[in-house]
Amino acid sequence: MRFLLDDEQREFGRTLDGLLEAAGTPAVVRAWAAGDTAPGRALWARLAEAGVFALAVPEQHDGLGPLPVELAVAFGELGRHAVPGPLVETVAAAALLDRLGDGDVTRTWLPQIASGKAVVSLCGPGASSPYALDADASDAVFVIDGDTLRVADGHGPVQPSLDPARRLARPHGGTVLAHGPQVIAAAAHAADVAALATAAQALGLGRALLARTVGYVGQRTQFGVAIGSFQSVKHRLADTLIALEFAEPLLHAAALALATADPAAGREIAAAKVSAGEAAYAAARTALQLHGAVGYTEELDLSLWIRKARPLRDAWGTPAACRDRVLAP
């Protein structure tokens, strides 16, 4: 089993990190939460130029993939910078359409997804919610209902969310695109891709929270010394780091299992999802506690990361559902 990324994969991650750092994602997140999607769409286009969405699209439809390991690297950086939008849902929709075979729907949407021209959302089995993420900002919302795939013709009002940048709405109506057992099989594969990407996002988010917290406790003083010198603070940070470090090899193993179509890929992805989600959630609690009262304030960018931790932990496979899948005979 290969747990380490190669040089090209690490360089890809560093390139995305530099791109997103320069983009100033906190302002993009705040605009997206307020309903102004223009900055987010502009960032989406730059991510597409970097090849992020093409990683989920096969070469015959203008993509580069599917490449699950590189996809995990990319979504780790997207999580580290708290990029808003239906990122996971778009690559999961690409996986869904790819598995349905070469038809008009596939030929229409996959090249658009690969190029970043189409922002799409996906609602269905495995999403743990009847709501579609960012339906109001998407060019299409694909809905899976049993063995039927349709594209919604509208959506209900946007609902309040723990994370204001995750805008949720219930899709309705629409045109049937496919029907039959092939939809069920494709939906299961799409849910696995979504869970893997979400796990990578959570891991990146957790690492960002830990880095910000380490930086803060090194500057914040009490009794004349940095609070980071207190043994209890060191232990809390160490526990957070260990949880994130344990989750990373599970994520790599899951990506490799998906890339090689390993029969155990579903179980590997569930293990990665629960580990990364719980580690990110623990990192959010640590960040909130060690930042003290300022950790609660919306004005501090830290809140943009903290609010994403729990939704990412629960989306595309709650911890309980993932544990059940890992333990299933």
Side-chain angles (χ1 to χ4, degrees), residues 3-303:
F3 289 106
L4 298 177
L5 301 175
D6 62 29
D7 291 342
E8 189 174 353
Q9 290 162 342
R10 285 195 291 270
E11 180 58 29
F12 178 53
R14 285 192 291 268
T15 299
L16 287 179
D17 181 38
L19 184 158
L20 293 168
E21 185 68 32
T25 52
V28 177
V29 176
R30 292 185 187 280
W32 191 277
D36 177 11
T37 59
R41 292 291 294 241
L43 181 56
W44 191 284
R46 296 186 63 187
L47 291 172
E49 289 176 1
V52 170
F53 305 109
L55 298 172
V57 177
E59 292 183 4
Q60 65 265 34
H61 294 293
D62 302 337
L64 302 170
L67 296 171
V69 176
E70 285 75 7
L71 207 60
V73 172
F75 274 76
E77 296 304 324
L78 298 177
R80 186 192 303 272
H81 291 275
V83 178
L87 302 153
V88 167
E89 287 68 23
T90 292
V91 297
L96 170 75
L97 296 174
D98 180 33
R99 284 299 174 99
L100 287 180
D102 193 18
D104 289 342
V105 175
T106 299
R107 287 192 293 272
T108 298
W109 285 102
L110 285 184
Q112 293 190 62
I113 290 174
S115 66
K117 293 179 180 176
V119 175
V120 304
S121 192
L122 177 66
C123 183
S128 308
S129 168
Y131 297 97
L133 180 65
D134 298 311
D136 58 325
S138 300
D139 300 301
V141 178
F142 295 103
V143 180
I144 303 164
D145 185 8
D147 61 355
T148 301
L149 171 67
R150 59 187 170 85
V151 58
D153 60 10
H155 59 83
V158 174
Q159 301 295 317
S161 172
L162 178 66
D163 175 9
R166 291 177 63 87
R167 300 170 59 81
L168 304 174
R170 188 187 290 267
H172 56 66
T175 304
V176 174
L177 301 177
H179 177 78
Q182 72 275 16
V183 172
I184 297 176
H189 175 63
D192 280 345
V193 172
L196 178 71
T198 306
Q201 260 190 316
L203 186 61
L205 183 93
R207 290 199 178 282
L209 284 165
L210 178 60
R212 286 170 176 263
T213 306
V214 169
Y216 180 77
V217 299
Q219 298 175 357
R220 175 81 163 84
T221 59
Q222 196 171 47
F223 309 119
V225 297
I227 63 173
S229 64
F230 298 157
Q231 199 68 18
S232 59
V233 172
K234 291 180 179 177
H235 284 172
R236 187 69 185 267
L237 293 172
D239 289 344
T240 303
L241 175 62
I242 289 171
L244 293 167
E245 290 289 316
F246 279 0
E248 185 159 334
L250 292 176
L251 179 69
H252 291 170
L256 283 172
L258 189 62
T260 57
D262 188 323
R267 187 174 297 185
E268 299 271 8
I269 291 169
K273 176 67 173 56
V274 68
S275 298
E278 295 283 31
Y281 189 50
R285 294 202 308 271
T286 298
L288 190 61
Q289 181 180 26
L290 297 187
H291 276 79
V294 298
Y296 291 90
T297 59
E298 289 193 16
E299 291 77 7
L300 192 69
D301 285 344
L302 181 75
S303 67

